[in-house]
Amino acid sequence: MTLRHLPLHDGWTLTADGPVPVGLPTGGVPAAVPGTVHTDLLAAGLIDDPYLDDNETRLGWIGRTDWTYRTTFEWAADAHEFTDLCFDGLDTVATVLLNGTELGSTANQHRSYRFPVRPLLREGENTLAVRFTAPYTYAEALREKLGDRPGAYTEPYAFIRKMACNFGWDWGPTLVTSGIWRPVALESWSGPRIAGAKVLADLDDDGVPRLTLTLDADRAGDGELAASVSVVGAGASAAFLLPAGEDRATVTLSVPGAEVWWPHSHGAQPLYDVVVRLGEDEVRTFRTGFRGVALEREAFRISVNGEPVFVRGMNWIPDDCFPSRLTRQRVSERLDQALAANVNLIRVWGGGLYESDDFYELCDEKGLLVWQDFPFACAAYPEEQPLYDEVAAEARENLVRLAPHPSLVLWCGNNENLEGHADWGWQEKLEGRTWGYGYYHGLLPAICAETDPTRPYWPGSPYSGSPDLPPQDPASGTVHLWEVWNRVDYRHYADTAHRFVAEFGFQGPPAYATLRRAVSGPLGLGAPLIAHHQKAEDGDAKLLRGLGDHLPQPAGFDDWHWLTQLNQARAVAFGIRHFRSHTPYCMGAIVWQLNDCWPVVSWSAVDGDGRRKPLWYALRQVYADRLMALRDGALHLVNDSSRAWRGTLVLARYGLDGTLLAETETEVSTAPRDVSRVPLPAALATPGDATREVLVARLGELRTVEFYEEDTRLALPPARYDAEVTPITHSDGTDTVYRVEITAHTLLRDLALFPDRLDPAAEVDDMLITLLPGESHVFHVRGAVLKDPEALGTAPVLRCVNDTVGR
């Protein structure tokens, strides 16, 4: 009989189980489900937006309060035999009651829960309540019982299976949530039911697509059960039986009619519906793609369908502190921003979540590979009960849930916990207590091998492939490079060749419009409200120190905003050019980070309001299929495309006034997925006057400009240019595009346009353009309605480095 699904998302109220510093109305406030306490209080007007000003600091009491959600719903007896109450996600420590009877308790945000309730349901009105214990109460009590553990922060996130960054991070606010954060429903059925289905799609040893299905059944009797699986559009199907008394069966079928799935940088993304049937009426449909994945452990080289992939990656954090607010459209927009920056892999970082089904489905469709951390980050995690069994349960559930997704290519045990134990002084503080080793080297690899043998497992990052090696060994496995930003100049990236760089980055402020929305006070250097939106230790001072001799110290807020954003873009781009030039010894770089969860000064390329920072434009250039990188007296031609890169390479040395001083032409050819090295001729390698000359390389449509000196020592002239702004309006009067043509009369270094200063909705298509005298570039600004379009051609909307040096 067909499953009946009754969502229970209406009519909820929220009450506090104790005194609170706001005036809750009698009977509570309306509650959105899915949702959180914070968002309900915000919707009721009882708290200020925690993302604005320093409002966050006055909301700590929410995570220390017990809360109850209540609703009533109508139910009438039907022809079904069984009914379960199903929660897709509860955050986090909760007791569930139906009509006053306790169904059970929960303590894991990363799991779903299912309670049989048929005998408890009443004809007519039923009452459902979910009582949440304060996360701090639970975590601190467990910390007291098990003994404290060291970590990057003093908050007790290691003692509760909950999104760790809820407790604050060096880019995120402390907003410790409770709530019914994913859907809840009643499910009723008769006869056998598909209790679980694991779909694994890979390639056999001959490269032929194959599907392995493991089906779990809830039985209504002891007889044998007929089942089937079919791959729609690929001409493959199989019928099979669950023998009497058996509730699990596994079947494997060859699918030679299916095309293979590739990351977008290597091919197409064909996807197929897999239809699973049990008995006459029970049907589930999954969507999958067929590909093989392998990992060479020492080199940390990921291969898809037998082809090594240079990872052009970005790290992903939860895109909102309140994930229930995320829509499929918003996730898609964020992933599209990664795609447009030529990213081919997203690493889901271990201080966050197993992401939503929408996230992985969209990655499948867009051809974005996914590296999934298990949710452990920057702390020693106890292995005692009840945590051990919770970790096992969440791992098994999510391995099965995410198994169909071809985009998911790696499971990783944790973020930085192996390094923490080895290098951060944890061992002395632990005094022999457990810290997570048993998870990363025992429990999780065992569950992965049993549940999903089609994907590689890696114990943590950074990690060198063996517990006997230093975690940060550059010759093996993955490294995280944080000396840059924290202590040394970004030129330090070029000191070492690494196998795979899984984290590195540099800070910069968000877009002007984002900062202006988030801060009601003055936007000035040292302003307290701006300082609140900088969570990194000594972050503001590191921003200024990081300018080094690359760029001058800012004279005011506008310069600070421009120069620190520019320096962020340059630092990360410098690192990527170095890493990619070492292909295939180095096979990946994953920038920290793609996105933000709120308006903040951080390492992101896309800020908390979804606006692209200069870093994003720099990534689009250095993550392109083809790249020219100058290193060690040679130009390295990086060709990460499927076709050979041939042509005439023109190398030219110019004076800053545009005078051609030396030029050579060389015929070059770089094989697909390869790098070639072109030594610089002496006439180009050594300038006559490093402060007044520039090197330009051209190959086809690609051009790169390299200066012989840092900007602070260049004899850059005051910027002189013509700016012509032309509004272009469609015939229906909508969607005006502003065409901004800049013609240089002097060399212009790193031209950038910031139209959000004029209209928060405005976006520009390009940035960080260097022009020689006489050259022109056209920018296009969309989304803006401007009273004074000519302002697009003047500071502080239009900026270049010339504005800030030699003053």
Side-chain angles (χ1 to χ4, degrees):
M1 189 171 292
T2 303
L3 184 82
R4 181 188 180 204
H5 184 87
L6 177 65
L8 299 177
H9 297 153
D10 299 329
W12 290 88
T13 58
L14 173 70
T15 57
D17 299 338
V20 294
V22 297
L24 291 175
T26 302
V29 299
V33 171
T36 67
V37 171
H38 285 77
T39 50
D40 291 333
L41 296 179
L42 181 61
L46 295 173
I47 62 172
D48 294 322
D49 189 334
Y51 289 2
L52 305 183
D53 291 335
D54 60 353
N55 297 335
E56 167 211 353
T57 62
R58 291 177 288 280
L59 302 179
W61 56 272
I62 297 174
R64 296 188 176 278
T65 301
D66 296 345
W67 300 91
T68 296
Y69 283 78
R70 290 185 179 85
T71 192
T72 59
F73 62 92
E74 295 291 320
W75 184 82
D78 51 31
H80 290 298
E81 300 175 64
F82 309 101
T83 301
D84 285 354
L85 176 63
C86 306
F87 290 93
D88 288 353
L90 291 169
D91 177 17
T92 289
V93 183
T95 301
V96 181
L97 301 100
L98 178 62
N99 295 324
T101 298
E102 182 177 325
L103 302 179
S105 59
T106 75
N108 194 329
Q109 183 182 10
H110 306 304
R111 292 179 58 187
S112 63
Y113 295 90
R114 192 177 192 100
F115 303 101
V117 296
R118 188 80 178 188
L120 297 175
L121 290 168
R122 302 169 179 167
E123 289 280 347
E125 186 175 88
N126 289 257
T127 300
L128 177 60
V130 184
R131 295 176 180 166
F132 287 94
T133 299
Y136 276 111
T137 299
Y138 177 91
E140 289 173 349
L142 201 53
R143 179 170 64 182
E144 180 68 22
K145 176 183 177 182
L146 300 179
D148 200 5
R149 303 294 200 279
Y153 306 98
T154 59
E155 297 278 340
Y157 56 89
F159 295 86
I160 184 170
R161 294 310 296 154
K162 174 176 171 60
M163 183 167 76
C165 60
N166 250 187
F167 290 86
W169 222 259
D170 56 5
W171 39 258
T174 302
L175 297 167
V176 180
T177 56
S178 293
I180 305 171
W181 78 289
R182 281 180 168 165
V184 54
L186 283 175
E187 287 189 357
S188 300
W189 74 97
S190 298
R193 181 182 72 88
I194 297 175
K198 182 180 65 179
V199 173
L200 295 173
D202 65 348
L203 309 181
D204 65 20
D205 292 341
D206 296 322
V208 177
R210 68 180 171 190
L211 184 87
T212 302
L213 169 72
T214 300
L215 177 66
D216 291 307
D218 267 352
R219 286 180 162 276
D222 293 330
E224 68 178 15
L225 296 174
S228 67
V229 58
S230 61
V231 183
V232 179
S237 62
F240 58 99
L241 295 174
L242 276 73
E246 298 288 333
D247 57 12
R248 171 173 288 185
T250 297
V251 61
T252 298
L253 66 155
S254 183
V255 193
E259 298 179 358
V260 297
W261 183 99
W262 292 93
H264 75 85
S265 55
H266 286 62
Q269 295 80 49
L271 297 170
Y272 297 88
D273 286 336
V274 176
V275 179
V276 180
R277 296 180 180 274
L278 179 65
E280 296 181 2
D281 300 311
E282 178 72 316
V283 180
R284 298 283 180 88
T285 301
F286 302 85
R287 195 144 174 86
T288 194
F290 295 88
R291 85 288 175 273
V293 182
L295 176 67
E296 295 177 52
R297 293 178 63 85
E298 180 178 330
F300 205 85
R301 181 179 291 114
I302 296 171
S303 294
V304 178
N305 304 327
E307 186 168 325
V309 175
F310 185 96
V311 167
R312 308 177 227 160
M314 298 200 77
N315 282 273
W316 171 277
I317 66 170
D319 204 51
D320 197 324
C321 296
F322 313 116
S324 57
R325 298 198 297 196
L326 293 175
T327 63
R328 186 181 181 93
Q329 179 180 350
R330 175 164 158 182
V331 174
S332 183
E333 289 171 354
R334 200 66 72 246
L335 294 175
D336 280 343
Q337 288 171 319
L339 198 67
N342 296 307
V343 167
N344 64 12
L345 180 143
I346 299 292
R347 176 190 175 216
V348 182
W349 168 75
L353 299 162
Y354 308 94
E355 285 290 334
S356 66
D357 292 341
D358 286 339
F359 177 91
Y360 302 97
E361 290 169 5
L362 289 164
C363 288
D364 292 345
E365 295 169 9
K366 299 175 191 295
L368 284 166
L369 301 175
V370 177
W371 158 332
Q372 177 70 53
D373 280 3
F374 284 98
F376 301 89
C378 301
Y381 281 76
E383 299 170 37
E384 288 80 5
Q385 299 293 8
L387 296 170
Y388 190 90
D389 284 351
E390 288 292 348
V391 169
E394 77 180 52
R396 287 192 175 92
E397 176 177 332
N398 284 284
L399 280 162
V400 171
R401 176 173 74 94
L402 302 183
H405 296 289
S407 57
L408 180 55
V409 295
L410 181 75
W411 286 99
C412 179
N414 71 87
N415 173 78
E416 297 187 346
N417 295 344
L418 303 177
E419 181 189 18
H421 184 262
D423 300 334
W424 297 356
W426 288 4
Q427 296 181 40
E428 182 178 349
K429 297 176 182 177
L430 282 167
E431 298 178 338
R433 293 191 292 272
T434 61
W435 58 276
Y437 183 95
Y439 295 143
Y440 317 134
H441 292 285
L443 177 68
L444 294 176
I447 293 176
C448 285
E450 171 194 348
T451 308
D452 183 7
T454 70
R455 292 176 176 88
Y457 169 84
W458 189 251
S461 189
Y463 182 61
S464 300
S466 168
D468 299 326
L469 291 173
Q472 291 273 39
D473 183 354
S476 180
T478 65
V479 296
H480 293 189
L481 302 183
W482 286 115
E483 287 291 301
V484 174
W485 168 250
N486 281 319
R487 281 171 285 277
V488 301
D489 186 81
Y490 66 70
R491 285 173 295 210
H492 178 71
Y493 286 137
D495 292 349
T496 309
H498 299 89
R499 302 311 296 260
F500 195 105
V501 184
E503 270 192 31
F504 70 106
F506 211 88
Q507 266 204 357
Y512 177 89
T514 299
L515 204 54
R516 180 69 283 173
R517 184 185 74 85
V519 173
S520 63
L523 297 182
L525 296 181
L529 291 179
I530 291 182
H532 182 74
H533 291 258
Q534 163 63 273
K535 294 294 187 178
E537 183 180 359
D538 200 30
D540 287 339
K542 289 176 182 176
L543 277 173
L544 294 178
R545 288 198 300 270
L547 295 172
D549 61 352
H550 306 292
L551 293 164
Q553 291 295 304
F557 173 80
D558 287 341
D559 279 357
W560 171 84
H561 189 259
W562 157 231
L563 291 171
T564 54
Q565 280 198 332
L566 174 61
N567 204 46
Q568 177 190 29
R570 286 190 182 179
V572 174
F574 179 91
I576 291 173
R577 282 193 292 267
H578 174 74
F579 305 144
R580 292 190 69 186
S581 74
H582 284 282
T583 308
Y585 182 82
C586 175
M587 281 302 290
I590 309 180
V591 177
W592 187 268
Q593 66 210 62
L594 171 64
N595 57 326
D596 272 324
C597 59
W598 74 313
V600 64
V601 180
S602 86
W603 297 264
S604 72
V606 176
D607 72 22
D609 282 2
R611 295 187 175 92
R612 299 173 297 182
K613 294 157 67 170
L615 170 59
W616 183 91
Y617 297 88
L619 287 172
R620 185 174 62 179
Q621 296 172 17
V622 297
Y623 269 163
D625 285 352
R626 292 172 173 175
L627 172 73
M628 292 190 282
L630 188 63
R631 172 172 64 82
D632 300 334
L635 190 68
H636 293 72
L637 305 179
V638 181
N639 181 22
D640 193 14
S641 76
S642 59
R643 294 181 298 172
W645 188 14
R646 300 186 180 97
T648 302
L649 173 65
V650 180
L651 294 170
R653 180 163 58 90
Y654 290 91
L656 297 189
D657 61 0
T659 303
L660 179 63
L661 302 175
E663 185 177 68
T664 64
E665 293 187 3
T666 307
E667 294 302 311
V668 296
S669 179
T670 306
R673 315 291 180 192
D674 202 359
V675 178
S676 60
R677 182 178 184 273
V678 180
L680 290 183
L684 297 166
T686 305
D689 182 348
T691 68
R692 298 179 182 275
E693 297 177 18
V694 62
L695 176 68
V696 179
R698 297 183 182 89
L699 179 55
E701 296 181 355
L702 190 62
R703 180 178 95 157
T704 189
V705 179
E706 295 282 351
F707 289 83
Y708 293 98
E709 265 292 1
E710 298 295 338
D711 288 9
T712 52
R713 294 190 285 270
L714 285 178
L716 283 178
R720 290 193 299 109
Y721 55 87
D722 291 331
E724 182 179 346
V725 181
T726 306
I728 303 172
T729 304
H730 290 181
S731 58
D732 59 4
T734 63
D735 194 23
T736 296
V737 176
Y738 296 90
R739 182 182 186 276
V740 184
E741 183 172 10
I742 306 298
T743 301
H745 298 306
T746 61
L747 182 143
L748 302 178
R749 174 81 157 121
D750 278 330
L751 270 172
L753 195 61
F754 298 101
D756 63 289
R757 282 179 167 266
L758 304 176
D759 184 335
E763 292 185 330
V764 67
D765 63 340
D766 210 351
M767 200 177 283
L768 307 181
I769 305 298
T770 294
L771 298 179
L772 298 178
E775 294 181 336
S776 297
H777 186 79
V778 175
F779 299 92
H780 296 92
V781 175
R782 291 177 169 82
V785 178
L786 303 180
K787 295 180 180 178
D788 180 17
E790 297 303 316
L792 289 169
T794 61
V797 179
L798 182 69
R799 298 303 304 262
C800 62
V801 176
N802 308 53
D803 302 336
T804 62
V805 298
R807 292 183 299 198

